Amino acid sequence: MATIQSFLMKKPNSAGLFPIAIRITKDRRSSYLFTGQYIEIKFWDDKYKRVKKSHPNSKRLNNLVAKKIAEANDRLIDSENQATSQSAKKIKKKIIGKTKMGFFEASELFLSNLLKRKKFNQHYNQEKRLDIFKTFLGSKKLSFTDLDVTLLKDFKAHLLYERKVAERTAINYLLLIRTIYNFARKEYHVDDRNYPFGKGKIRIKFPESEKIGLNREEVQLLETAEELTPAQKHAVNTWLMSFYYAGIRVADVLQLKWSDFIDNRLYYRMGKNKKLVSLANPEKVEKILDYYAAKRKKKDDLIFHYLEGTNLKDEKRLATRIKTINRNLNRRLEIVAEKVGIEKKLSMHIARHSFGNISGDKIPIQMLQKLYRHSSITTTVNYQSNFMHKETDDALEKVVNF
């Protein structure tokens, strides 16, 4: 038998108010209805699942919620009298049909789900993009029927020509809007008569991205760089550590501990997909480890100092700190690049591109897949194609060199 109960969602909106929702549970699976009402958390009685009397509109809100629950129960009884068993989602669909939920109400729920899944960086980035969309609209209200092709084309033009973002960045905004729209269609059955995406409408197609890494000579300039400040030296060592291990992501480099190095090998679990990785220590890594060995006190100490004092188990706080550290590292790397005469953009992420650029077509693609820690070899082929130029260069040479 299914149950229906009101509850207060844990993710507040931009005003710090929490949404009142209704949970439908059947066979230990839940689906949710959005009431459109928000209150401060102090006004919610979690024991009795209702708004406290201390709220100035408690009677009206409780009556509204009670009415919705009563309507839901009536339709639930009708659905359970049918011969076929139905899931919580199907029962929900029968109860509400098409909901009047707006785009930004759906976006709050979407962002809340990101937090539940501990996608903190993604949550931060998507929340900022939605704030920019609100600013463009000049409103925090938007119905799905008003979210049409014309509006999205105007928004894209605003991003490209007023905010001066790159084409790929503009597409990321549209992709977020489509993701939230599809989320609301699937979970809350919103009115999608004017669905603006698809053939003949708004198409989500990313332009090819340019990936340029350093060459051997430029990496050697970093390895032999002199007259650097301590902060710049640490930034270079962090970059080189990433490069020497085939482009380990900055979040993983910053969390490397002495205990991760056993018998001249690195053992670590990737933060992105939790894969366990083991790689032999290149000789050049030993020089970096020697540089920091004097400050080592315990085997669980971090190699680099950036995250000292940060609770590594607090994933949200950790993600915020890593974002700030990465930004500071990139600033210092830009200064170093200018000092040593590297004209290409230099950032922590470029360490991965640099490994790809130097490896080119010299290493079998299956081995590169292991080094990059890709789940699919197709991902490796697509990534490495940015750096494999020998065949096209030879073909061009044969034609024009006469």
Side-chain angles (χ1 to χ4, degrees):
M1 181 175 177
T3 59
I4 298 177
Q5 189 176 59
S6 60
F7 74 107
L8 196 68
M9 301 192 76
K10 301 301 182 184
K11 173 67 170 63
N13 63 10
S14 57
L17 302 178
F18 293 77
I20 302 173
I22 296 172
R23 181 190 293 115
I24 303 169
T25 304
K26 184 175 182 182
D27 298 330
R28 297 184 180 180
R29 292 180 179 273
S30 296
S31 194
Y32 305 94
L33 305 179
F34 186 73
T35 66
Q37 303 300 317
Y38 294 80
I39 61 171
E40 293 181 57
I41 195 168
K42 66 180 181 180
F43 291 121
W44 183 252
D45 187 332
D46 196 50
K47 181 178 179 181
Y48 294 103
K49 308 298 180 186
R50 57 184 287 127
V51 180
K52 293 180 180 178
K53 291 182 179 180
S54 54
H55 190 283
N57 292 317
S58 62
K59 187 174 181 180
R60 181 180 65 83
L61 289 173
N62 284 327
N63 285 340
L64 173 67
V65 173
K67 181 180 178 181
K68 286 184 176 291
I69 291 177
E71 290 174 354
N73 272 310
D74 287 343
R75 298 185 188 182
L76 173 60
I77 291 170
D78 290 339
S79 70
E80 291 195 332
N81 284 335
Q82 295 178 4
T84 57
S85 178
Q86 299 185 53
S87 67
K89 283 187 179 180
K90 287 184 178 179
I91 293 171
K92 169 184 159 183
K93 188 173 182 180
K94 273 188 170 293
I95 290 171
I96 63 172
K98 297 289 185 180
T99 181
K100 294 182 179 180
M101 175 189 288
F103 175 80
F104 290 114
E105 286 85 2
S107 70
E108 293 288 346
L109 297 169
F110 173 79
L111 291 173
S112 177
N113 285 344
L114 290 180
L115 285 180
K116 289 177 183 176
R117 291 158 50 203
K118 300 183 179 180
K119 302 288 185 180
F120 301 116
N121 284 335
Q122 192 177 348
H123 176 273
Y124 175 86
N125 293 331
Q126 306 297 40
E127 188 174 45
K128 294 298 181 186
R129 287 172 179 155
L130 288 166
D131 287 342
I132 289 171
F133 189 35
K134 289 176 187 175
T135 301
F136 164 76
L137 294 170
S139 173
K140 295 181 180 179
K141 295 289 183 181
L142 177 65
S143 69
F144 281 98
T145 53
D146 290 333
L147 184 53
D148 57 17
V149 171
T150 301
L151 175 62
L152 291 179
K153 284 184 176 179
D154 288 345
F155 181 49
K156 184 179 180 182
H158 168 76
L159 293 170
L160 292 173
Y161 305 116
E162 295 186 38
R163 294 191 66 88
K164 307 294 184 184
V165 306
E167 174 76 16
R168 188 176 186 86
T169 302
I171 295 297
N172 277 324
Y173 279 85
L174 298 180
L175 178 61
L176 171 61
I177 293 170
R178 187 183 71 177
T179 300
I180 293 172
Y181 205 138
N182 288 340
F183 164 75
R185 292 170 80 197
K186 179 181 178 182
E187 298 295 332
Y188 299 96
H189 310 287
V190 300
D191 190 334
D192 60 359
R193 287 172 293 175
N194 291 342
Y195 187 68
F197 301 98
K199 187 175 181 181
K201 300 179 182 180
I202 300 293
R203 300 293 295 269
I204 304 295
K205 185 177 181 180
F206 284 98
E208 290 188 26
S209 60
E210 187 178 45
K211 293 181 173 64
I212 299 177
L214 304 190
N215 58 35
R216 289 175 181 269
E217 291 73 22
E218 289 163 334
V219 173
Q220 288 172 341
L221 287 175
L222 292 179
E223 291 175 332
T224 58
E226 297 179 347
E227 299 181 5
L228 302 181
T229 66
Q232 292 165 5
K233 180 66 175 177
H234 291 316
V236 169
N237 282 341
T238 308
W239 190 95
L240 289 172
M241 182 71 89
S242 172
F243 169 76
Y244 292 150
Y245 286 115
I248 293 179
R249 293 173 178 83
V250 61
D252 293 328
V253 175
L254 296 176
Q255 295 179 75
L256 290 179
K257 300 177 180 179
W258 291 101
S259 56
D260 295 328
F261 294 87
I262 303 171
D263 295 333
N264 295 319
R265 296 189 68 85
L266 168 63
Y267 295 86
Y268 82 104
R269 192 174 295 279
M270 291 175 62
K272 184 174 183 180
N273 56 21
K274 305 304 178 184
K275 282 187 176 181
L276 187 62
V277 178
S278 173
L279 297 169
N281 291 349
E283 288 185 16
K284 293 180 177 181
V285 166
E286 298 296 338
K287 294 181 181 179
I288 295 178
L289 295 178
D290 289 343
Y291 184 85
Y292 294 100
K295 294 185 178 180
R296 174 184 176 180
K297 295 179 181 178
K298 305 187 299 292
K299 68 175 184 178
D300 285 334
D301 284 349
L302 295 165
I303 303 295
F304 299 101
H305 67 282
Y306 300 104
L307 290 172
E308 289 178 358
T310 302
N311 181 2
L312 302 183
K313 295 182 179 179
D314 184 344
E315 296 183 64
K316 186 174 182 179
R317 171 63 177 161
L318 179 62
T320 302
R321 284 286 298 130
I322 289 172
K323 183 181 288 289
T324 302
I325 294 166
N326 187 46
R327 187 163 53 242
N328 291 333
L329 285 170
N330 289 340
R331 290 196 189 107
R332 289 161 185 160
L333 289 169
E334 287 179 6
I335 296 172
V336 172
E338 186 174 353
K339 278 187 175 183
V340 301
I342 295 174
E343 296 183 358
K344 296 173 184 173
K345 179 181 179 181
L346 183 60
S347 68
M348 285 302 302
H349 190 63
I350 295 299
R352 194 170 181 84
H353 294 343
S354 300
F355 186 89
N357 186 46
I358 294 173
S359 63
D361 52 8
K362 303 178 182 70
I363 300 175
I365 202 72
Q366 292 84 357
M367 185 55 63
L368 282 172
Q369 180 189 2
K370 291 182 178 181
L371 289 171
Y372 288 144
R373 286 77 69 186
H374 286 157
S375 298
S376 169
I377 197 165
T378 303
T379 304
T380 308
V381 171
N382 291 336
Y383 182 83
Q384 199 62 17
S385 65
N386 293 277
F387 311 109
M388 298 172 69
H389 309 300
K390 187 177 185 302
E391 289 185 1
T392 53
D393 291 348
D394 289 347
L396 183 66
E397 181 70 13
K398 289 177 181 178
V399 175
V400 302
N401 189 20
F402 55 86

